[in-house]
């Protein structure tokens, strides 16, 4: 490779070392390639999202029957702690007798729960009618809220959303509005209606006097999920990075702190430039002035060391190590209910950014050396580079015979001459304007504003 200046030498050595001859570099162990520990994973969540995540894993690991049955077993046990008989029947159908008689259809339990639900619903209706008759706003609000909780517990999400939203007309304080918004956001996330999520996050943020730090962190996470679902990865990254450490496990009915690190880290890698990446992620520097750039996000990244290391490797141009971390994480990321649809897109964007960043400092790059660094074949690398060149993301041309990429850097000499000529033309125009003005003044050839009578 040929560098643009004398300082390129050390960088070439570093990238070459990262390619294939890693004998001198102490690799950190890759620990993310293990099979997902479903029990530990499910322990991060509570409520309905715990069940839905387990069912999602079961639906997406059909080739691994052991993992699938483990997920279904845990979902079965979790559902029986609640009152959602419809979801229970669906899980029993998916198990299909593969877990033995203890995990079969429990007709008696379903009938008991349904009968109790009918009685509870009738009681709630009578109470709400009484509240309406007495026109007590707070009681009516609580009545609709109780109905929302009832429908949510029984899996009737549409009715739960309507009940929660109806409480808005009876809210008398800012805290009531925040409670209504948070309930609507929770149900909307479960339904996959992320436009509602964005709307109610905005409504909640319009009453800042009632927001505590934990609620603010929850709203950031909800907004991040909405932007992630809309494929607005840069906005999603910003929202997750703005999430404060106060979140803790207070929102595990929706998201875990580990998810904040994973979602935010991957979205940032895919969309941020180097300056933004440095400003928003904890990157260790040898500069005495800074050690960490984002203290808040560091707390989340410490929970997922693999994501922390791949971000550091990407920023430090250790692309082979970064891509290795990504490769080991991919299987488990595909089992994530929110990230599954976006893994391929995010991975492609991260890889393209790495390719662009790798070629940027050099006039010429040996494709064999570059292919070694990215753990791919020369032919495969050529196709990737061709696509980036066609898309105008890399200014270069490929010598397929000699397997060399030549950068098309701007002609600095010509650009300098053009700037000088443009400056000269501007100076000439300004001088002519000044001379014209002075001559007009000299010959008293100027229009005076007529005085208004």
């Amino acid at each position: 490779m040929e560098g643009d200046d004398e300082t390129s030498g050390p960088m070439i050595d570093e990238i070459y070392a990262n390619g294939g001859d890693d004998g001198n570099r102490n690799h950190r162990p890759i620990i993310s390639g293990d099979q997902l520990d479903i029990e530990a994973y499910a322990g991060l969540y509570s409520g309905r999202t715990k069940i839905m995540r387990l069912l999602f894993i079961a639906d997406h690991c059909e080739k691994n029957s052991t993992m699938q049955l483990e997920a279904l077993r845990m979902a079965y046990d979790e559902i029986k702690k609640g009152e959602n008989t419809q979801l229970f029947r669906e899980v029993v159908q998916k198990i299909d007798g593969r877990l033995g008689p203890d995990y079969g259809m429990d007709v008696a339990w379903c009938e008991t729960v349904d009968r109790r639900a009918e009685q509870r619903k009738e009681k709630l209706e009578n109470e709400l009618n009484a509240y309406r008759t007495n026109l007590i706003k707070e009681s009516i609000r609580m009545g609709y809220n109780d109905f929302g909780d009832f429908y949510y517990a029984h899996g009737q999400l549409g009715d739960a959303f309507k009940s929660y939203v109806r409480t808005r007309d009876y809210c008398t304080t800012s805290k009531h509005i925040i409670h209504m918004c948070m309930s609507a956001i929770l149900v909307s996330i479960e339904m996959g209606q992320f436009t509602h999520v964005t709307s109610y996050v905005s409504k909640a943020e319009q009453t800042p006097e009632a927001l505590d730090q934990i609620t603010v962190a929850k709203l950031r996470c909800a907004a991040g999920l909405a932007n992630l679902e809309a494929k607005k990865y840069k906005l999603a990254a910003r929202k997750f990075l703005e999430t404060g450490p106060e979140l803790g496990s207070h929102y595990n009915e929706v998201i875990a702190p580990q998810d904040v690190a994973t979602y935010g880290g991957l979205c940032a890698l895919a969309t941020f430039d180097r300056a933004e990446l440095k400003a928003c992620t904890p990157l260790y520097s040898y500069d005495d002035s800074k050690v960490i750039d984002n203290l808040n996000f560091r707390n989340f990244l410490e929970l997922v060391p693999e994501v922390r290391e791949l971000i550091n490797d990407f920023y430090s141009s250790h692309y082979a190590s970064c891509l290795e971390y990504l490769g080991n994480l991919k299987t488990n990321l595909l089992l994530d209910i929110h990230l599954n649809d976006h893994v391929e897109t995010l991975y492609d964007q991260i890889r393209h950014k790495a390719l662009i960043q790798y070629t940027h400092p050099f006039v010429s790059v040996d494709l064999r050396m570059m292919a070694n660094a990215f753990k791919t074949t020369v032919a495969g690398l050529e196709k990737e580079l061709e696509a980036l060149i066609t898309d105008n993301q890399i200014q270069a041309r490929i010598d397929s015979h000699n397997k060399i990429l030549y950068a098309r850097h701007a002609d600095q000499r010509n650009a300098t001459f053009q700037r000088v000529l443009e400056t000269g033309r501007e100076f000439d125009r300004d001088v002519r304007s000044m001379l014209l003005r002075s001559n007009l003044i000299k010959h008293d050839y100027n229009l005076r504003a007529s005085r208004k009578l």
Side-chain angles (χ1 to χ4, degrees):
M1 300 181 189
E2 296 176 11
D4 286 333
D5 50 42
E6 295 177 358
T7 61
S8 299
M11 187 181 296
I12 296 172
D13 294 338
E14 175 62 36
I15 293 177
Y16 180 79
N18 190 51
D21 186 11
D22 287 338
N24 296 327
R25 184 175 176 222
N26 293 323
H27 256 311
R28 290 178 291 272
I30 305 281
I31 61 173
S32 58
D34 299 335
Q35 180 174 300
L36 181 67
D37 185 341
I38 296 179
E39 186 173 356
Y41 177 77
L44 299 173
Y45 308 98
S46 66
R48 182 182 172 87
T49 193
K50 180 176 182 177
I51 298 168
M52 300 313 295
R53 285 174 181 268
L54 287 168
L55 294 180
F56 187 87
I57 290 172
D59 291 339
H60 288 78
C61 63
E62 296 175 352
K63 296 180 180 179
N64 189 334
S65 59
T66 303
M67 181 182 287
Q68 183 183 48
L69 291 175
E70 177 67 11
L72 290 172
R73 182 188 64 78
M74 293 186 67
Y76 183 100
D77 292 337
E78 191 67 26
I79 291 171
K80 291 204 74 174
K81 297 176 184 177
E83 300 177 318
N84 193 339
T85 55
Q86 179 59 37
L87 194 57
F88 177 77
R89 292 185 179 94
E90 292 176 10
V91 171
V92 169
Q93 187 176 2
K94 289 181 178 181
I95 292 174
D96 195 25
R98 291 177 292 172
L99 289 172
D102 292 339
Y103 289 90
M105 186 62 193
D106 192 339
V107 178
W109 179 82
C110 290
E111 290 177 350
T112 302
V113 170
D114 288 340
R115 185 168 57 252
R116 192 164 58 239
E118 287 298 324
Q119 295 171 354
R120 171 71 173 159
K121 184 177 181 182
E122 185 178 351
K123 180 183 177 183
L124 289 174
E125 286 176 346
N126 292 334
E127 289 178 350
L128 183 58
N129 289 332
Y131 297 150
R132 284 174 172 173
T133 303
N134 296 328
L135 298 176
I136 304 173
K137 292 186 71 173
E138 175 60 14
S139 297
I140 297 173
R141 185 187 73 84
M142 291 298 295
Y144 277 122
N145 199 64
D146 290 341
F147 253 115
D149 294 342
F150 171 81
Y151 286 130
Y152 182 76
H154 289 82
Q156 301 174 44
L157 299 181
D159 292 330
F161 180 77
K162 291 176 184 177
S163 297
Y164 286 135
V165 172
R166 282 174 183 165
T167 65
R168 183 180 182 184
D169 296 333
Y170 305 96
C171 292
T172 55
T173 67
S174 298
K175 288 186 176 180
H176 292 165
I177 294 174
I178 296 299
H179 185 271
M180 181 273 296
C181 289
M182 297 306 296
S183 299
I185 288 168
L186 174 63
V187 179
S188 298
I189 291 174
E190 293 290 347
M191 292 193 298
Q193 299 292 333
F194 286 94
T195 52
H196 292 327
V197 174
T198 302
S199 174
Y200 283 98
V201 166
S202 298
K203 282 184 174 65
E205 289 176 341
Q206 289 170 9
T207 54
E209 68 278 359
L211 295 175
D212 55 37
Q213 291 299 315
I214 294 175
T215 305
V216 170
K218 290 180 178 181
L219 292 173
R220 294 285 186 274
C221 289
L225 287 175
N227 284 310
L228 176 65
E229 185 65 26
K231 298 185 178 180
K232 298 176 181 177
Y233 299 126
K234 192 162 190 174
L235 289 174
R238 292 195 183 284
K239 292 300 180 182
F240 288 123
L241 290 167
E242 291 170 3
T243 303
E246 298 83 8
L247 180 72
S249 59
H250 294 290
Y251 210 28
N252 58 8
E253 66 271 25
V254 173
I255 193 171
Q258 288 84 345
D259 295 329
V260 175
T262 304
Y263 300 168
L266 291 178
C267 289
L269 272 182
T271 57
F272 283 6
D273 58 31
R274 285 180 65 82
E276 291 173 315
L277 198 62
K278 187 176 190 299
C280 296
T281 52
L283 299 165
Y284 298 93
S285 171
Y286 295 105
D287 184 359
D288 292 336
S289 61
K290 285 186 179 180
V291 177
I292 297 172
D293 290 3
N294 189 314
L295 290 171
N296 286 341
F297 198 57
R298 183 194 180 194
N299 294 320
F300 292 107
L301 283 179
E302 292 298 329
L303 301 173
V304 192
E306 301 87 357
V307 176
R308 181 195 66 206
E309 296 303 333
L310 73 87
I311 291 174
N312 285 331
D313 283 340
F314 186 92
Y315 186 81
S316 304
S317 300
H318 298 148
Y319 301 117
S321 178
C322 173
L323 295 174
E324 191 174 357
Y325 275 113
L326 285 171
N328 281 274
L329 278 169
K330 187 173 184 178
T331 302
N332 290 345
L333 294 179
L334 288 170
L335 297 176
D336 186 282
I337 194 169
H338 293 298
L339 208 56
N340 174 272
D341 293 336
H342 308 281
V343 170
E344 295 296 342
T345 303
L346 289 171
Y347 269 47
D348 286 343
Q349 290 187 18
I350 293 170
R351 185 174 179 84
H352 291 166
K353 273 188 64 181
L355 291 168
I356 294 167
Q357 199 166 288
Y358 185 103
T359 60
H360 183 71
F362 305 108
V363 173
S364 63
V365 179
D366 187 328
L367 294 185
R368 288 176 287 266
M369 196 175 184
M370 187 174 178
N372 190 31
F374 283 88
K375 305 297 183 183
T376 186
T377 63
V378 174
L381 179 63
E382 278 193 58
K383 289 183 179 179
E384 289 185 90
L385 292 172
E386 285 170 9
L388 291 172
I389 291 170
T390 303
D391 199 32
N392 207 32
Q393 294 188 56
I394 293 180
Q395 304 295 326
R397 63 185 189 278
I398 298 173
D399 182 349
S400 296
H401 179 70
N402 295 314
K403 303 302 179 187
I404 295 176
L405 179 78
Y406 291 102
R408 290 176 177 167
H409 290 298
D411 188 340
Q412 297 294 336
R413 181 184 178 90
N414 184 57
T416 303
F417 278 127
Q418 292 299 326
R419 284 199 300 271
V420 170
L421 289 173
E422 181 61 28
T423 304
R425 283 192 289 268
E426 290 177 359
F427 178 77
D428 181 68
R429 184 173 62 250
D430 292 343
V431 170
R432 288 177 182 275
S433 298
M434 290 170 62
L435 290 173
L436 176 61
R437 176 176 172 76
S438 63
N439 281 326
L440 289 172
I441 295 173
K442 178 179 178 181
H443 295 285
D444 199 25
Y445 194 77
N446 57 327
L447 294 176
R448 300 180 184 274
S450 59
R451 293 182 179 180
K452 292 183 180 180
L453 298 175

